[in-house]
Amino acid sequence: MKESVLDILIYLFENYFDADLDCAPEPDRDTLRDELERAGFSEREVGRALEWLEQLSADPNRVGGIPGSRAIRIFDAREQARLDTDCRGYILYLENIGIISPAQRELVIDRLLALDVQQIDIEQVKWVVLMVLFSQPGQQSAYLRMEDLVFDNRLQVVH
């Protein structure tokens, strides 16, 4: 099975993070590593996924000094190579409708570029945005709005 870091992150999100965390303690890194390896993910990819999560929560204020909402975001060549026009437009759309802030936009872009994939698609953008919002306190409303975008699309595909 060829799994990616994002596959592992989605697995973790669906099995651990989306649950009611008030009633269960957060599992530690070793517990998560063991569970993921038992679930069939490779040791290498598990390590990379856990590192991705650590970077997400490492310093929530590391994206400081982001200009106000009147600024125009210009994507550099590296970002354009990995994020196609649809992905870049979707990220800016989420910012324009108030789901993510300029600082969160930068964190989303950082975490997308940290994925080990050549080309990033909109589904991957949606999941990363969901994880970024979930990781930050006070973002319940934005998280719920984004969750609707992620899971409503899944239901439409099934029908």
Side-chain angles (χ1 to χ4, degrees):
M1 175 173 135
K2 173 65 175 136
E3 72 273 349
S4 70
V5 169
L6 189 61
D7 293 329
I8 296 170
L9 294 170
I10 291 170
Y11 176 88
L12 283 172
F13 194 79
E14 290 177 337
N15 290 288
Y16 288 96
F17 305 133
D18 202 24
D20 182 11
L21 296 179
D22 294 332
C23 61
E26 186 174 320
D28 64 23
R29 182 182 172 107
D30 291 333
T31 302
L32 285 177
R33 179 180 296 283
D34 292 342
E35 172 63 28
L36 290 168
E37 288 175 7
R38 278 195 304 274
F41 294 109
S42 73
E43 183 178 336
R44 178 178 177 265
E45 292 301 311
V46 168
R48 293 173 66 185
L50 293 175
E51 182 179 315
W52 189 97
L53 283 171
E54 286 175 3
Q55 290 296 316
L56 176 61
S57 62
D59 182 7
N61 298 317
R62 75 173 182 233
V63 186
I66 302 299
S69 62
R70 301 184 91 184
I72 296 174
R73 175 58 157 92
I74 305 296
F75 290 85
D76 68 25
R78 181 177 67 100
E79 293 167 339
Q80 289 181 31
R82 301 270 312 280
L83 300 166
D84 66 17
T85 304
D86 291 338
C87 290
R88 295 189 311 263
Y90 192 73
I91 292 167
L92 296 176
Y93 165 75
L94 293 174
E95 182 182 354
N96 286 334
I97 65 171
I99 289 182
I100 60 174
S101 68
Q104 290 166 327
R105 174 198 64 217
E106 294 305 311
L107 185 55
V108 165
I109 292 168
D110 175 70
R111 294 294 75 213
L112 284 166
L113 296 177
L115 293 175
D116 188 29
V117 294
Q118 278 296 24
Q119 195 63 35
I120 297 163
D121 63 35
I122 289 181
E123 285 304 307
Q124 293 166 322
V125 171
K126 289 178 181 180
W127 278 101
V128 169
V129 169
L130 201 60
M131 290 175 207
V132 166
L133 291 172
F134 183 81
S135 73
Q136 297 182 336
Q139 297 300 311
Q140 292 83 0
S141 175
Y143 171 83
L144 291 173
R145 289 176 62 198
M146 190 65 209
E147 188 176 47
D148 287 343
L149 291 174
V150 170
F151 292 112
D152 282 350
N153 196 26
R154 276 187 161 184
L155 293 176
Q156 290 172 2
V157 171
V158 171
H159 295 302

